[in-house]
Structures are given as structure tokens and as C-alpha cells.
């Protein structure tokens, strides 16, 4: 078995898991929920093995490096981080319905990695600037943060769906979602978690830049966009802590914040130019 | 204090302003990512037209992040943070150091969570048991007589209230570090050919030479490739010379610079000259000499009566690594060629004589030089920010009071708690204390 086969199967696995979670949301069958969790867990294990194997294969090719060095590898890691974050959430809040709003992100990320235009899956050696442990720390911290923000965005959608259907008497499938207060609370905690990791991600990135070319901050578009994202979430946290914003507003901000994450991640590579151009290959 | 009442002060103390500033910083930052920065003036005219280009010039858009208005936004943020902190810190300080044994007894019953237990035990005995159950759950209580009763108080993490302020201060520290860097630091570059040294660098901002105060020697530069031709490593063996004496040597690569006396030297580029460095030693006489040669040219070393030159090259088994054919004649009259791989050293044997011959392609290493005395403030600020965020997000100030008082022929034990955040976790802690307290009080012994 090669890593690319395993990662291919993972893509399929997350597709099946997404379908099962959505089915659970619609049909409220306990069995499909259990199946969804099982498929997710098994796929997650396969994906973890796939990532590990890719790492091993790179050593076999004579230029071993952690599989976090290009667009393909970062997308796979992004999806991996979303799933582990979601699984922990599922256990902690003992609720499977959130999966319908989270696992599709993991699938989309894998699908995009596999089929996206201009994304190569090849394991390639690292150019000198990328040979740094700070780079690994940077990618890991950023993507844990991004994964949390993806889940927060899913939860934000869930909140809006639920609150728009709140007045209707028999809200059907919506009625099975967790209460608004609970969703609101999870969104908030998820954003806090993501914010901490994003901060760490920006900082490790700055340290890496400084060790590679002596400038910790150069206002390159990718750096700037990560800072914009950081400002958005900082404002969101302040709006909540000090001005008491809750519910719909925070749900919208979770969605807006994640759009900024997406732009930082893809938009900058494809629409703007800068130092981080490695992401475009 | 009168200044605190004035409206400019309260404008800067408000969190609303913080939201606006963060919002505008986000919007403004977008502009600089969409409109290319620091391009030549013509580029703006070509892309956006003369009028628009002029408008950009007025607003400093081509160097937006250093423009007066962007810097003003950052200063607004700093002022906002500082003044907001000055406004709030005294209250927080008070909350951290206050004597909670003086808390108004009437407030205790209104706290959430709180619970009253009635018992026939004497107040002193009830207090003993309360103290024990607090201690059992990790709460060290202090106590004082209050209004004919006894008040016990225990708390955890009062200092965690400073977490937010550590985060806010860290932003100011980072700003300070950035300012120190831009006022007292500079950046530039040097190109040093192998075997040469330099004591000046050229500033990026105005291309003026800057004296380093010491010399940097490039002993050797090596470039290696992956099998696919991509560069694998740029490595410079550097030495620092003070008055011509080596005081420090280090081999640097990208991501691992050399620092000396506030200057840091980063591997950033290289230049190739299609020339070769040859060092030749006569192992009998110990005469040695280094030559910078071009291929195809005949080189003479009159002292030793030697003539040599590079006459051919071939790729070795290692991709992108070459070997060179050298023609070599010495005083013995033997003139035979030999092969040597780039970077290698070999022994050339002739009738009774032998020589050490080393050859490598000649490069100059391109170093970026940075002096940034602010960087450690920035790093300190970053560390403070992460620690502060963890404290602010995950730790809380939790307090528990137990008030015991004789009421008619019974003793009332009132337990109340308070936390500044993360209530669900605190309620679990509180319940644990409460349960243990109830058990102890109900048990006979
Ligand atoms: C980008 C800059 C900023 C960051 C990263 C930041 C970060 C934070 C964090 C992490 C908290 C903690 C919330 C909690 O209690 O869990 C907080 C609270 C707060 N921030 Fe900021 N902040 C920033 C800018 C500002 C500014 C400019 C102001 C100016 C007024 C401000 C005022 C406050 C206030 C009043 C609180 C609530 C403090 C409390 O709970 O007592 N912040 N901030």
C-alpha cells in the first residue's frame, strides 16, 4: 500500500462519512449516526497512516522531511486536523449532529488536494529556505487554528439554520440540533482555541522568517492576510467579552472569519503574489 | 482625577474604539495586499492611470504600511490599549489583592452558586469540618470572626486576572521592539568572494556603505543539488576577523545564520564566475600557493617551476557535480593529466616528488546582514502574548466563602462561590467541596 492510495481511500471515506452525518441529521436514525462516527474514525486512522507513510517514503527517496511542505500536504494535514478536532468535540459534547457541519470540510479539503488544478501530489525535496523546524511548527500551529475555525464556521451555519427555524412549531430535523445556547457556547470556545493557535502560527512564522532572511515581518500578502484574520477574530472576541455580542452576530463573525482564513490560504496564492508562493505548486 | 473625566480620555478608553480600530486595520491591510507595494512609480501609472497613480502617491499607497495614516492607526491601537489598561487596571489590582474576609456578608447568600446547610453542631465544630473539607479538595482557607460568626475564605488563581493585561502589554512590547529595530537597526548585504574578507556592508535603504567594525571572511562556499537539479544546500564557511585575527568561525546555511556583535549574517544568494580556486602545496618544500584560474588557460608557478591548467570537464555520477581534467607539469618534466572532482583534494605524484592539489569552483557568497536590536523585545512580547492568552482563556479566579453562624438553636453553614469565567468547571469544583462539607457535617462523630 502506498501513501497516495491510503490518502485516496481517505478522501472517499470522508465523502461517505459526510453523507452519513447528513443522513443522520435528516432522518434522525441512531444507527446511521453510529456508522458515521465509525467511518470517520476508521478513515481518520487510515489517513494518519497515510501521512506517516508519506513521511517514511520521503526518507526512502533520500530527502526525508515532514509531510507539511507544499499545498497538497498542507491540505491533507488541514483535513486531518479538522477531523481530530471534530472527533474530540463529538466525544466532549456527546453530539453527532455537529459532524454534518464539520466533516464535509474535511472531505472538501481532501478532494481539493486530490483533484484541484495545479496541485501536485509528488513528494519533492525541500529547497533550502524550507529546511527549518520552525517551518514545521509554523504549518502545524496555523493549521490546527484553521481547523478550529473551519469547525467554528460549520457551527455558525448550524446556529443560523437552527435560529431561522426556531419559530416554526414542529421544526422537524432542526429540532434535533443542540440548543442555541449550547451551539453559541461551542462556537465561542472553538474560536478561542483557534485564536490561540493562530497567534502561535503567526509567531512561529515570524521566527522562521527571521531565521531564514533576517526579517520577522515584511508585510507580504500572506502574512498580512493572516494578520487580517487575526484582527477579525480579536474583534469578535472583544465584541463578545466586552459588548456582550452573542448568537447570530457571533455566528456570522465565525463565518466571516473563516472566509478570511480561506482567502489567506488560497486567495493569496492564486490572486496575489508573495513569498509564500510555494503553496501554488 | 480630572483628566480621567475629559472626553478625549474616555474616547481612548472605550472598547468600541478598539473594535473600530481593529476593523479599520483589517480593511486597510487589505489595500496593501491588492495594490503592489514598493513598485517603481511607472508601474502604477501603467496599471492604474496617471490620475489614480497621483492619488496613490498622495495617500502613500505604494509604501502603505509605512504611511502616516497606517502608522496612525497603529498608534491609535497602542493608545487605546494603554489608556484602556490605565482605566481598568486599578480595579483589577483591587480584585486581586483585596481582603475577601471583609466581603459583605449579605452578598454571600446572593452569590451563585451558594448553599445553606443547617446543623446542630457548634459553630466551632462546624468551622473545623468546613476547613477540613475545603483542604481535602485543595482549597487552603483563611478565616476571621465576622458579625458574631466565622467567615472562611479560600481562592485560586487571583493573579490570572492579569492574563488579559499580559496580552495587551505584549502588543505594546512588540510595537516597542519593532520601533527599536527600525530606529537603531539596519539591513543590507555583502557579496564576499571565497578567500576574501570584507568590513563593509551596503544598506538596503540607501545603498550607502556601512562599516561593520570587524571583518567577515568567506573561507569556502559550497552548493549542492538534489538529483532533480533543485538546490539542496547553500553553505558558507565564514570567519570573523578582529585586527586580522580569527575570533569566530561558523558554517552557515539558509535558516542558520551567524551572529556577532549585534550583526547577523544570513545566507541569501551566491554568484558564480566560471573560475576555479586551486590550492597547490609542494609536500617536500612545504611551499604553498592559491590560484584563481580560468579553464583553458595555462597557469605558471615560477617558484616551483610548475605549469598547469584545466582542459576538460565531465559530470560525475552525482547529478550536477563535475569532475575536471587537469594538465600538470613540474620540474621533473613529467606532463600528465589527471581527473579531480569539484571540491576534492588529491595527491599528484611525480618522479620522487608529490604535491597536494585542491580544486573547487570559485563563488562569492551573498549575505544579508541585519542589525536589529529590537528583535529580542519582539520575541519577548510574543512569548508574553502566548502565555497571556493561555492564562486569559483557560485559567480563572475562583473564590469560595463559608460563613458559619449560630442562629437560635441551630448553626447555619452558608457556602458561596464565585468565578470570573468558565463557570461550568467551577461549579463542578464547588459541588465537590459542597458534597464533602455536607457529608462531614451530617456525620455523627
Ligand atoms: C489586537 C489587539 C488585541 C488583542 C490580541 C487582545 C486580546 C484580548 C484577549 C485575549 C482578551 C481576553 C478575553 C478574556 O477575558 O478571555 C481581551 C480582553 C479585553 N480587551 Fe483586548 N486585545 C486587543 C486589543 C484591545 C484594545 C485595543 C483594547 C482597548 C480598549 C482592548 C480591551 C480589552 C478589554 C477591556 C478586555 C476585557 C478585559 C476584562 O475581561 O476585564 N483590547 N483582549
Amino acid at each position: 500500500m502506498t501513501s497516495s492510495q491510503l490518502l485516496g481511500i481517505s478522501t472517499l471515506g470522508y465523502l461517505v462519512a459526510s453523507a452519513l452525518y447528513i443522513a443522520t441529521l435528516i432522518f434522525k436514525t441512531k444507527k446511521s449516526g453510529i456508522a458515521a462516527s465509525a467511518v470517520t474514525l476508521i478513515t481518520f486512522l487510515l489517513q494518519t497512516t497515510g501521512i506517516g507513510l508519506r513521511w517514511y517514503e520521503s526518507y526512502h527517496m533520500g530527502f526525508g522531511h515532514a509531510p507539511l511542505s507544499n499545498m497538497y500536504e498542507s491540505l491533507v494535514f488541514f483535513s486531518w486536523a479538522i477531523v481530530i478536532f471534530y472527533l474530540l468535540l463529538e466525544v466532549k459534547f456527546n453530539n453527532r449532529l455537529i459532524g454534518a457541519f464539520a466533516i464535509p470540510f474535511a472531505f472538501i479539503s481532501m478532494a481539493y488536494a486530490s483533484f484541484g488544478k495545479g496541485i501536485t501530489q509528488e513528494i519533492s525535496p525541500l529547497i533550502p529556505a524550507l529546511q527549518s523546524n520552525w517551518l514545521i511548527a509554523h504549518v502545524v500551529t496555523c493549521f490546527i487554528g484553521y481547523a478550529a475555525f473551519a469547525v467554528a464556521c460549520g457551527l455558525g451555519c448550524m446556529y443560523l439554520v437552527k435560529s431561522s427555524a426556531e419559530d416554526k412549531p414542529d421544526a422537524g430535523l432542526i429540532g434535533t440540533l443542540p440548543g442555541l445556547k449550547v451551539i453559541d457556547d461551542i462556537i465561542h470556545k472553538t474560536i478561542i482555541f483557534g485564536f490561540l493557535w493562530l497567534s502561535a502560527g503567526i509567531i512561529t512564522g515570524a521566527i522562521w522568517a527571521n531565521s531564514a532572511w533576517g526579517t520577522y515581518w515584511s508585510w507580504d500578502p500572506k502574512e498580512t492576510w493572516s494578520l487580517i484574520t487575526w484582527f477579525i477574530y480579536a474583534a469578535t472576541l472583544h465584541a463578545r467579552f466586552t459588548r456582550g455580542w452573542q448568537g447570530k452576530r457571533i455566528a456570522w463573525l465565525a463565518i466571516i472569519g473563516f472566509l478570511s482564513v480561506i482567502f489567506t490560504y488560497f486567495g493569496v496564492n492564486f490572486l496575489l503574489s508573495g513569498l509564500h508562493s510555494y503553496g501554488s505548486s | 482625577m480630572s483628566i480621567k473625566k475629559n472626553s478625549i480620555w474616555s474616547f481612548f478608553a472605550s472598547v468600541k474604539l478598539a473594535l473600530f480600530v481593529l476593523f479599520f486595520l483589517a480593511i486597510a491591510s487589505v489595500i496593501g495586499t491588492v495594490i503592489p507595494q514598493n513598485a517603481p512609480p511607472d508601474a502604477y501609472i501603467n496599471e492604474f492611470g496617471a490620475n489614480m497613480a497621483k492619488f496613490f502617491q498622495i495617500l502613500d499607497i505604494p509604501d502603505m504600511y509605512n504611511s502616516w495614516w497606517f502608522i496612525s492607526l497603529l498608534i491609535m491601537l497602542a493608545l487605546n490599549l494603554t489608556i484602556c489598561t490605565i482605566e481598568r487596571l486599578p480595579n483589577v489590582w483591587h480584585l486581586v489583592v483585596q481582603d475577601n474576609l471583609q466581603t459583605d456578608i449579605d452578598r454571600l447568600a446572593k452569590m451563585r452558586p451558594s448553599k445553606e446547610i443547617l446543623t446542630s453542631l457548634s459553630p466551632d465544630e462546624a468551622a473545623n469540618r468546613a476547613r477540613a473539607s475545603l483542604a481535602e479538595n485543595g482549597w487552603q482557607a483563611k478565616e476571621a470572626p465576622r458579625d458574631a460568626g466565622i467567615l472562611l475564605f479560600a481562592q485560586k488563581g487571583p493573579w490570572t486576572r492579569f492574563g488579559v493585561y499580559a496580552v495587551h502589554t505584549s502588543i505594546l512590547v512588540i510595537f516597542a521592539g519593532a520601533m527599536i529595530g527600525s530606529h537603531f537597526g539596519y539591513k543590507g548585504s555583502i557579496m564576499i568572494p571565497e578567500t576574501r574578507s570584507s568590513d563593509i556592508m551596503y544598506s538596503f535603504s540607501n545603498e550607502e556603505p556601512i562599516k561593520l567594525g570587524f571583518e567577515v571572511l568567506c573561507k569556502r562556499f559550497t552548493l549542492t543539488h538534489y538529483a532533480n537539479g533543485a538546490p539542496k544546500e547553500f553553505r558558507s564557511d565564514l570567519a570573523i576577523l578582529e585586527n586580522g585575527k580569527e575570533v569566530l568561525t561558523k558554517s552557515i546555511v539558509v535558516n542558520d545564520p551567524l551572529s556577532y556583535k549585534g550583526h547577523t549574517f544570513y545566507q541569501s544568494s551566491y554568484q558564480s564566475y566560471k573560475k576555479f580556486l586551486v590550492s597547490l602545496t609542494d609536500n617536500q618544500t612545504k611551499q604553498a600557493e592559491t590560484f584563481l584560474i580560468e579553464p583553458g588557460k595555462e597557469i605558471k608557478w615560477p617558484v616551483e617551476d610548475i605549469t598547469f591548467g584545466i582542459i576538460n570537464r565531465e559530470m560525475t555520477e552525482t547529478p550536477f557535480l563535475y569532475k575536471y581534467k587537469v594538465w600538470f607539469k613540474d620540474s621533473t618534466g613529467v606532463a600528465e593529466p589527471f581527473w579531480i572532482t569539484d571540491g576534492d583534494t588529491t595527491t599528484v605524484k611525480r618522479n620522487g616528488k608529490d604535491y597536494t592539489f585542491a580544486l573547487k569552483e570559485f563563488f562569492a557568497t551573498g549575505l544579508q546582514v541585519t542589525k536589529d536590536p529590537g528583535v529580542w523585545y519582539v520575541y519577548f512580547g510574543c512569548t508574553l502574548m502566548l502565555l497571556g492568552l493561555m492564562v486569559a482563556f483557560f485559567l480563572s479566579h475562583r473564590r469560595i466563602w463559608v460563613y458559619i453562624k449560630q442562629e437560635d438553636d441551630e448553626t447555619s453553614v452558608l457556602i458561596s462561590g464565585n468565578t470570573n469565567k468558565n463557570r461550568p468547571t467551577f461549579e463542578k469544583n464547588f459541588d465537590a467541596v459542597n458534597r464533602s462539607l455536607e457529608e462531614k457535617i451530617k456525620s455523627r462523630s
Side-chain angles (χ1 to χ4, degrees):
Chain A
M1 223 9 130
T2 66
S3 67
S4 66
Q5 283 167 324
L6 280 173
L7 294 175
I9 297 171
S10 313
T11 312
L12 208 65
Y14 289 141
L15 175 64
V16 174
S18 301
L20 284 169
Y21 275 118
I22 293 170
T24 311
L25 183 66
I26 297 175
F27 304 115
K28 291 187 268 179
T29 47
K30 204 173 153 106
K31 272 192 193 136
S32 64
I34 293 170
S37 297
V39 172
T40 306
L41 188 63
I42 292 167
T43 309
F44 176 74
L45 295 176
L46 284 177
Q47 190 188 22
T48 310
T49 317
I51 293 173
L53 198 58
R54 190 176 165 95
W55 198 341
Y56 173 81
E57 285 165 6
S58 76
Y59 275 93
H60 216 68
M61 294 167 75
F63 42 76
H65 60 77
L68 296 165
S69 70
N70 60 19
M71 189 64 150
Y72 175 76
E73 290 172 347
S74 69
L75 281 164
V76 171
F77 182 71
F78 182 41
S79 139
W80 184 87
I82 291 175
V83 176
I84 188 163
F85 188 82
Y86 165 72
L87 285 174
L88 294 175
L89 213 62
E90 182 180 299
V91 172
K92 177 152 186 203
F93 292 92
N94 194 20
N95 190 309
R96 291 211 166 87
L97 298 175
I98 303 169
F101 295 87
I103 296 302
F105 284 116
F107 164 67
I108 292 168
S109 181
M110 282 306 285
Y112 186 66
S114 314
F115 308 114
K117 218 173 71 195
I119 296 177
T120 59
Q121 300 187 22
E122 237 170 84
I123 305 180
S124 48
L126 289 184
I127 60 165
L130 301 184
Q131 297 164 10
S132 162
N133 288 333
W134 284 112
L135 174 66
I136 297 176
H138 172 54
V139 176
V140 169
T141 46
C142 278
F143 280 98
I144 293 176
Y146 291 173
F149 292 143
V151 173
C153 171
L155 289 163
C157 297
M158 183 163 161
Y159 187 97
L160 293 175
V161 169
K162 170 126 182 161
S163 76
S164 70
E166 192 80 307
D167 331 314
K168 296 172 197 153
D170 178 30
L173 72 104
I174 305 300
T176 62
L177 291 174
L180 285 177
K181 272 225 148 18
V182 177
I183 308 176
D184 182 62
D185 185 53
I186 308 176
I187 294 179
H188 177 60
K189 293 205 165 104
T190 308
I191 290 181
I192 281 183
F193 182 85
F195 187 73
L196 185 63
W197 286 96
L198 177 64
S199 308
I202 294 176
I203 291 171
T204 47
I207 298 175
W208 168 48
N210 193 46
S211 73
W213 42 78
T215 308
Y216 51 81
W217 194 261
S218 53
W219 294 105
D220 120 289
K222 194 123 184 164
E223 279 173 1
T224 309
W225 267 97
S226 67
L227 190 67
I228 293 168
T229 306
W230 191 73
F231 284 145
I232 293 175
Y233 285 109
T236 305
L237 290 176
H238 283 83
R240 184 180 181 105
F241 275 121
T242 59
R243 309 206 59 80
W245 283 27
Q246 271 190 339
K248 275 191 187 169
R249 286 170 166 182
I250 297 290
W252 274 113
L253 283 167
I255 295 169
I256 293 169
F258 187 60
L259 290 178
S260 176
V261 169
I262 295 283
F263 193 82
T264 309
Y265 192 5
F266 302 107
V268 173
N269 289 337
F270 298 127
L271 303 176
L272 311 169
S273 62
L275 291 172
H276 281 76
S277 47
Y278 78 80
S280 62
S281 65
Chain B
M1 270 186 280
S2 65
I3 50 158
K4 291 205 174 179
K5 295 287 162 264
N6 94 35
S7 61
I8 298 180
W9 181 272
S10 47
F11 172 74
F12 277 110
S14 83
V15 180
K16 231 184 207 158
L17 177 67
L19 294 179
F20 276 106
V21 173
L22 288 173
F23 179 73
F24 279 114
L25 272 172
I27 298 288
S29 304
V30 176
I31 298 173
T33 67
V34 177
I35 298 171
Q37 293 293 293
N38 297 309
D42 287 349
Y44 296 99
I45 297 176
N46 289 341
E47 199 170 334
F48 301 99
N51 286 334
M52 207 57 181
K54 193 159 198 181
F55 178 68
F56 284 0
Q57 213 66 51
I58 294 169
L59 287 183
D60 268 344
I61 301 272
D63 189 15
M64 200 207 88
Y65 300 108
N66 293 312
S67 68
W68 59 269
W69 57 270
F70 194 76
I71 301 283
S72 306
L73 271 176
L74 293 177
I75 292 173
M76 283 278 262
L77 183 71
L79 270 178
N80 189 195
L81 269 174
T82 312
I83 292 173
C84 184
T85 304
I86 295 174
E87 269 292 288
R88 290 172 186 245
L89 205 53
N91 284 335
V92 174
W93 182 260
H94 176 72
L95 278 171
V96 172
V97 301
Q98 73 180 324
D99 183 1
N100 286 285
L101 287 172
Q102 300 307 317
T103 305
D104 189 356
I105 298 293
D106 294 336
R107 274 183 51 209
L108 295 180
K110 293 187 200 119
M111 281 184 190
R112 211 165 53 86
S114 70
K115 180 131 205 262
E116 190 178 11
I117 308 167
L118 294 172
T119 170
S120 54
L121 293 171
S122 75
D124 280 340
E125 184 51 30
N128 281 338
R129 296 186 183 189
R131 210 176 294 119
S133 48
L134 280 167
E136 226 167 59
N137 286 284
W139 297 81
Q140 294 311 322
K142 293 183 296 183
E143 60 188 84
R146 288 287 305 277
D147 304 355
I150 306 166
L151 181 63
L152 272 65
F153 171 74
Q155 65 178 345
K156 284 182 179 171
W159 56 273
T160 62
R161 288 186 182 265
F162 292 128
V164 177
Y165 296 91
V167 176
H168 290 158
T169 309
S170 75
I171 294 170
L172 299 175
V173 172
I174 292 171
F175 280 0
M179 263 162 18
I180 292 171
S182 70
H183 283 282
F184 301 105
Y186 43 78
K187 291 189 165 72
S189 64
I190 344 179
M191 196 51 106
I192 314 175
E194 283 174 293
T195 69
R196 315 278 163 80
S197 63
S198 168
D199 62 351
I200 47 172
M201 57 180 275
Y202 292 89
S203 157
F204 281 150
S205 55
N206 51 15
E207 275 144 45
E208 292 287 309
I210 299 174
K211 276 219 162 300
L212 291 171
F214 52 85
E215 280 178 84
V216 190
L217 167 71
C218 174
K219 295 181 161 175
R220 191 181 177 93
F221 175 86
T222 29
L223 168 64
T224 44
H225 289 96
Y226 292 108
N228 68 0
K232 181 178 185 181
E233 187 181 76
F234 308 115
R235 179 179 289 275
S236 299
D237 300 338
L238 301 183
I240 301 289
L241 310 180
E242 291 267 20
N243 304 318
K245 272 227 276 307
E246 252 179 48
V247 290
L248 181 68
T249 57
K250 182 170 178 178
S251 175
I252 70 164
V253 292
V254 181
N255 278 309
D256 186 18
L258 160 72
S259 291
Y260 184 71
K261 284 199 174 161
H263 292 80
T264 309
F265 298 85
Y266 300 86
Q267 181 69 61
S268 76
S269 64
Y270 70 95
Q271 197 168 334
S272 142
Y273 297 90
K274 301 278 168 268
K275 288 187 184 176
F276 295 83
L277 265 182
V278 168
S279 60
L280 188 52
T281 311
D282 179 332
N283 294 336
Q284 285 71 45
T285 63
K286 302 292 172 217
Q287 279 278 357
E289 179 75 62
T290 305
F291 305 85
L292 183 57
I293 71 172
E294 282 174 51
K297 292 229 170 93
E298 194 178 273
I299 309 298
K300 283 192 159 49
W301 188 14
V303 185
E304 288 272 328
D305 191 18
I306 286 174
T307 316
F308 69 96
I310 297 176
I311 54 176
N312 201 355
R313 82 165 187 182
E314 261 175 30
M315 180 106 74
T316 59
E317 316 238 299
T318 316
F320 301 92
L321 183 63
Y322 290 93
K323 58 182 181 179
Y324 296 90
K325 191 173 188 183
V326 178
W327 181 87
F328 186 99
K329 174 171 167 284
D330 73 347
S331 55
T332 64
V334 184
E336 259 174 49
F338 60 88
W339 285 92
I340 179 167
T341 305
D342 186 13
D344 270 4
T345 302
T346 183
T347 306
V348 185
K349 287 201 174 10
R350 291 295 133 100
N351 284 339
K353 295 197 81 170
D354 57 287
Y355 306 90
T356 304
F357 188 99
L359 175 144
K360 81 177 285 298
E361 190 179 350
F362 176 68
F363 290 104
T365 182
L367 304 177
Q368 167 156 338
V369 189
T370 301
K371 183 177 168 191
D372 186 351
V375 73
W376 291 106
Y377 296 89
V378 173
Y379 284 0
F380 171 73
C382 291
T383 313
L384 186 63
M385 175 181 289
L386 289 180
L387 292 176
L389 284 174
M390 285 194 249
V391 171
F393 289 154
F394 303 126
L395 301 179
S396 52
H397 180 196
R398 290 147 291 161
R399 295 180 283 180
I400 294 182
W401 291 262
V402 183
Y403 184 56
I404 298 148
K405 191 181 176 188
Q406 183 82 48
E407 262 168 14
D408 304 329
D409 50 354
E410 279 190 314
T411 299
S412 143
V413 179
L414 174 66
I415 170 167
S416 323
N418 172 276
T419 180
N420 64 336
K421 55 191 153 206
N422 208 350
R423 180 166 285 280
T425 314
F426 174 67
E427 280 176 356
K428 278 191 204 127
N429 295 339
F430 182 85
D431 284 346
V433 176
N434 191 28
R435 239 178 293 118
S436 131
L437 183 64
E438 264 179 44
E439 263 169 36
K440 282 212 166 42
I441 284 183
K442 291 213 177 98
S443 80
R444 286 284 121 212
S445 63

